[in-house]
Amino acid sequence: MACMVNEELVTGVRTVCDVVETALGPFGANKLLIQRDGTVTATASSTELLDRFDVSDPAVTLLDTAASDFHDAYGDGTGTVVTLVGALLREADRLAERGLHPTAIERGFREGLDIALDAVDGAAHPLSAYEPDDVARTALTATRNPAVRRSVSAQVADAVAEAGPEARDRVQVVSRTGGATAETDLVSGVVIERGPVLESMPRSQHGTGIAVLSSTVDVPHAGSQLGRVSRRVTLDADSFEDREALRERESEAFDERLAAAVDAGCGVVITERAINERVESALAAAGILGVHRVDADVVDRVARATGATVVPTLEQVSAATLGTGDVDVRRKAGRDMTFVTSDAGEPTHTLFCRAPDPRTVRAFERSVEAAIAATAAATRDGRVVPGGGAIEATAARAVDRAARSLSGRQQLAADGFGNALLSVPRALAATAGVDAGQAEVRLRVARTEGRDAVGIDVLAGTTADVLGESPVVEPASLKAAVLTTAAEAAIQLIRIDERLDATDLGDEEEIEPETESADADADAEAARDGAP
């Protein structure tokens, strides 16, 4: 009897995969997510769908973790990973019904994966034959406006070119509701979505020292100490005079620290925590521009861009810890924002995105982040493959041909892996309004004729050479990572045969107290009967 894939365990996974599959590509269907608190979100972003799912099923948790880890590592391609996992599970069901054991399915899938990876490698083209803009435009699925796609993809390519292969860390994406996506602007430097804490503070500081702090800017408290405490002192100030003297001493101590920071060249203070109200005026009087409650990742970005060292408090600020650069407060999208530019540290850029409504702006921001990640990956690897499902169709053809040389059950499983690869062009065709069955036939025929660049032209709504006038290309390294991650996740799910609660694996059941008491009474009675 065949060992079937555990239906109960993977049903939830299949549901998630089916939902994500229909959201693939620029024409992916929107989903209405209704959360427990009543919040309603409309999105076609695969990443946002997975982020907002209220997951409790352990198998779905495995899939969600794999997809999240992939997104954190690569920034693009998460939807394709989930789509392929769903297709591989469907193939595993079909194979199990034909009598294949999960071990045989795993071996065939791994064989198919190796063949598919070789096909991706063989179909790769040098990036120099195309443009980084083409990679960015392919990943920019949140807009179908040709002019916007050209403009934004060009800005993404410029940002990646200046920031280098590590552009995901060096290019910030800031989005704001209001305006049109065509108003997206590439800014040199870091954008902080806050203005000065006090209106009387300067709005521009050029060529000045920039202090980057991780904690609150406030007057020091008597007895406060950084680092290991070797002695604890209790100070009682009961009278008004004592409390006033203590307050004056704390204020004098802060003035001394502030004067030392100014003497070191500090003109700007940017902190992750708050700038207390009682010291705002002192900073303004000293000519310092202060910005507080800045996100930790932005604080880190400012430090890397300006060459600053992040220190805990104003007391640790010195000429050695200060960064240098220009800081300007500008009005953008109806609010003050602080722009930090510098040549002292790493090249840093910000893409400032606009969109007419909250749903659109979030989707556009995610799409721009994916475009940055894809372009950076292509720049690192220097190779691209045809998009629009073309590379999956080519890999499926290679698996189909190679599987014929395999024996028995392994051949069936490898062939199933190849069939699963075609789920990507089928999904793209379906969301673009193209007959998925006819599109698959055309892709197969094109491969037999040696036309491996034929894929789904989603915007045109047909099958076509995707390397033509407006190339649709994806990073070869990213595509290989997608196939590998999807295969590993599917195999992990296929190999599960039972769900066990960890609480059931504890110590052996303890003897009931009543039983212990009854046994003790019986022993006592037996002893009395046997007594002389």
Side-chain angles (χ1 to χ4, degrees):
M1 182 177 176
C3 182
M4 301 289 287
V5 176
N6 193 308
E7 288 289 332
E8 181 183 354
L9 288 175
V10 298
T11 297
V13 174
R14 288 198 194 92
T15 300
V16 172
C17 293
D18 290 345
V19 169
V20 171
E21 182 176 326
T22 59
L24 203 63
F27 288 95
N30 286 329
K31 312 296 177 185
L32 275 180
L33 285 175
I34 304 173
Q35 295 174 272
R36 288 186 179 181
D37 60 359
T39 303
V40 179
T41 304
T43 182
S45 167
S46 303
T47 306
E48 188 167 8
L49 282 171
L50 293 168
D51 286 345
R52 291 184 180 271
F53 277 144
D54 189 2
V55 176
S56 59
D57 183 279
V60 177
T61 300
L62 288 175
L63 173 66
D64 184 54
T65 301
S68 297
D69 290 347
F70 185 87
H71 181 266
D72 292 343
Y74 297 97
D76 187 28
T78 307
T80 307
V81 168
V82 178
T83 297
L84 284 171
V85 169
L88 288 168
L89 290 178
R90 288 193 294 270
E91 288 297 325
D93 283 343
R94 183 181 62 81
L95 293 166
E97 289 173 358
R98 298 185 65 176
L100 269 71
H101 189 279
T103 300
I105 297 173
E106 177 185 354
R107 288 172 179 164
F109 277 9
R110 292 195 182 280
E111 187 70 33
L113 173 63
D114 290 340
I115 298 167
L117 292 176
D118 288 341
V120 170
D121 190 59
H125 298 263
L127 178 61
S128 57
Y130 303 94
E131 296 292 339
D133 304 36
D134 298 325
V135 180
R137 189 174 59 253
T138 300
L140 198 66
T141 58
T143 177
R144 296 185 287 274
N145 184 312
V148 174
R149 287 168 64 86
R150 285 195 299 270
S151 171
V152 176
S153 61
Q155 293 183 70
V156 168
D158 289 344
V160 172
E162 294 188 34
E166 303 305 318
R168 280 191 69 197
D169 296 326
R170 297 179 182 177
V171 180
Q172 175 189 12
V173 180
V174 174
S175 57
R176 273 285 164 263
T177 303
T181 53
E183 298 178 48
T184 296
D185 185 29
L186 177 61
V187 179
S188 177
V190 181
V191 176
I192 303 173
E193 299 180 67
R194 291 182 176 275
V197 294
L198 207 61
E199 287 295 329
S200 58
M201 287 180 171
R203 295 178 68 86
S204 295
Q205 292 280 36
H206 292 172
T208 190
I210 301 171
V212 184
L213 312 181
S214 60
S215 60
T216 303
V217 180
D218 197 3
V219 296
H221 300 293
S224 63
Q225 178 178 335
L226 290 173
R228 186 174 180 178
V229 177
S230 58
R231 178 180 298 176
R232 190 174 299 279
V233 178
T234 302
L235 179 64
D236 293 326
D238 296 328
S239 67
F240 173 79
E241 290 78 8
D242 288 344
R243 289 195 297 271
E244 185 66 16
L246 179 60
R247 186 191 65 78
E248 290 180 1
R249 179 67 194 101
E250 290 175 344
S251 180
E252 290 172 1
F254 176 78
D255 291 340
E256 291 172 2
R257 295 181 183 181
L258 180 58
V262 171
D263 291 342
C266 178
V268 177
V269 171
I270 297 172
T271 180
E272 185 179 340
R273 299 292 183 86
I275 296 178
N276 197 291
E277 290 182 358
R278 56 183 172 180
V279 301
E280 290 175 354
S281 297
L283 291 175
I288 290 180
L289 192 165
V291 184
H292 70 168
R293 303 189 189 281
V294 181
D295 290 344
D297 60 331
V298 180
V299 166
D300 180 62
R301 200 181 295 271
V302 170
R304 287 188 283 116
T306 63
T309 300
V310 180
V311 294
T313 67
L314 199 63
E315 186 178 12
Q316 285 75 48
V317 172
S318 65
T321 66
L322 289 172
T324 56
D326 298 336
V327 181
D328 297 284
V329 179
R330 308 175 200 165
R331 198 76 176 169
K332 294 278 280 186
R335 63 182 294 180
D336 279 348
M337 293 191 178
T338 304
F339 292 74
V340 181
T341 58
S342 175
D343 295 327
E346 299 177 356
T348 306
H349 295 79
T350 300
L351 272 163
F352 190 81
C353 303
R354 305 287 297 277
D357 60 83
R359 189 201 72 81
T360 307
V361 77
R362 184 59 185 141
F364 191 62
E365 178 182 345
R366 286 180 178 271
S367 187
V368 171
E369 289 172 346
I372 293 170
T375 308
T379 302
R380 282 194 302 272
D381 184 45
R383 301 180 307 150
V384 293
V385 293
I391 189 60
E392 285 83 1
T394 299
R397 164 76 170 170
V399 173
D400 179 60
R401 296 180 66 180
R404 297 172 189 171
S405 63
L406 301 177
S407 59
R409 297 173 182 269
Q410 194 171 352
Q411 178 183 5
L412 291 174
D415 188 60
F417 186 90
N419 289 335
L421 294 177
L422 290 170
S423 64
V424 175
R426 281 197 297 262
L428 291 174
T431 58
V434 180
D435 185 288
Q438 290 184 6
E440 181 180 339
V441 170
R442 290 171 184 163
L443 294 182
R444 288 182 182 273
V445 170
R447 265 78 201 156
T448 61
E449 297 173 350
R451 296 182 293 129
D452 289 348
V454 174
I456 309 298
D457 188 336
V458 177
L459 297 181
T462 185
T463 55
D465 185 344
V466 294
L467 298 183
E469 183 178 351
S470 183
V472 178
V473 289
E474 301 177 74
S477 59
L478 177 62
K479 188 57 65 177
V482 165
L483 297 180
T484 302
T485 302
E488 293 295 341
I491 289 170
Q492 185 180 27
L493 291 166
I494 292 166
R495 296 290 304 176
I496 297 173
D497 69 343
E498 188 175 358
R499 169 179 169 170
L500 298 173
D501 291 331
T503 53
D504 293 339
L505 305 178
D507 296 334
E508 293 183 4
E509 187 175 316
E510 295 182 2
I511 299 175
E512 295 289 338
E514 295 79 8
T515 304
E516 291 180 348
S517 178
D519 291 344
D521 292 342
D523 291 342
E525 186 176 352
R528 284 195 301 271
D529 292 343

